[in-house]
């Protein structure tokens, strides 16, 4: 089992990049945010608990997240390769992931740090529109849908996520600085981190990420 992690602040382009590269890179996309939104939509016990945190822009407790991810990995095979988007987000989550992978003879192949200035993050988050049905992300200026309010991929309705309103955005960026940023040095020390300039537009960012992953694949082959 192999894992590639997209690490970065809200608005850094993790979800959009994952959507664009997952098929070509043969990676199974796991977005804990999407999984949680799905649970909220279905009204499950996990969804009801998670919603109270998500609304405020706070992190959902590590124990809930780990159970979700473990259940998903249990469904997969040992040969699977995953693209994590939005996980891990805390040091305890990173530690639990390492333990979980060790049990499955898995490893983290690479961590891509999507780096963009705060101004860019806020502009992206306030303009983001998401498909209610399939979760594809758009942006009112940068990635407009062909028809306003309608998803290009599935025809679903586009909406503004409740946590993409300005007050909650500031909270989420602070949470990122306090809880998630520490993972950058952790993965750097492990020799896994590659920084990518994520202030560039979506298609350039996706091709940069693909290039980095291509290099990793060559390295893997030589090992
Ligand atoms: P995202 O779609 O990745 O921006 O996630 C949306 C929200 O879901 C976050 O603001 C958190 O409330 C919650 N969430 C997603 N992933 C995690 C995680 N790994 N740990 C804790 N909370 C998470």
């Amino acid at each position: 089992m192999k894992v590639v992690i997209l690490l970065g602040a809200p608005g850094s382009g993790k979800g959009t990049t994952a959507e664009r590269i997952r098929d070509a890179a043969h990676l199974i996309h796991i977005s804990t945010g999407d999984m949680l939104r799905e649970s909220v939509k279905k009204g499950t016990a996990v969804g009801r608990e998670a919603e109270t945190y998500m609304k405020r822009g706070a992190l959902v407790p590590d124990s809930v997240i780990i159970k979700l991810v473990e259940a998903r990995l249990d469904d997969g095979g040992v040969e699977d390769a995953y693209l994590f988007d939005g996980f891990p987000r805390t040091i305890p989550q990173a530690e639990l992931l390492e333990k979980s992978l060790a049990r499955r003879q898995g490893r983290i192949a690479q961590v891509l740090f999507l780096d963009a200035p705060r101004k860019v993050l806020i502009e992206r988050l306030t303009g983001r529109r998401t498909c209610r049905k399939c979760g594809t992300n758009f942006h009112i200026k940068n990635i407009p849908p062909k028809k306003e309010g309608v998803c290009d991929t599935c025809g679903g309705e586009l909406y503004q996520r409740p946590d993409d309103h300005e007050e909650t955005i500031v909270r989420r960026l602070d949470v990122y600085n306090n809880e998630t940023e520490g993972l950058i040095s952790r993965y750097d020390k492990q020799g896994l981190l590659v920084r990518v300039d994520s202030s560039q537009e979506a298609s350039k960012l996706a091709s940069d990420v693909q290039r980095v992953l291509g290099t990793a694949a060559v390295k893997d082959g030589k090992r």
Side-chain angles (χ1 to χ4, degrees), residues 32-33 36-37 54 58-60 65 86 89 93 161 163 172:
T32 41
L36 291 168
R37 277 184 290 279
M54 295 167 80
L59 292 185
V60 173
I65 299 293
R89 252 175 158 106
Q93 288 181 21
R161 278 170 43 177
D163 58 347
R172 286 163 64 206

Side-chain angles (χ1 to χ4, degrees), residues 1-5 21-22 24-30 73 76-84 97 100-102 104-112 192 210 212-221 223:
M1 183 176 288
K2 185 183 100 168
V3 166
V4 173
I5 296 171
I21 65 156
R22 59 190 174 195
H26 304 294
L27 294 169
I28 301 166
H29 180 196
I30 295 190
L73 295 181
V78 284
E79 295 300 321
D80 285 349
Y82 294 95
L83 181 62
F84 281 163
L97 172 63
S100 174
L101 288 175
R104 300 165 196 274
Q105 272 94 45
R107 68 191 174 92
I108 299 171
Q110 203 150 34
V111 179
L112 286 104
L192 295 169
Q210 258 176 327
V212 173
L213 292 177
T215 316
V218 173
K219 269 200 221 147
D220 277 349
R223 250 180 237 145

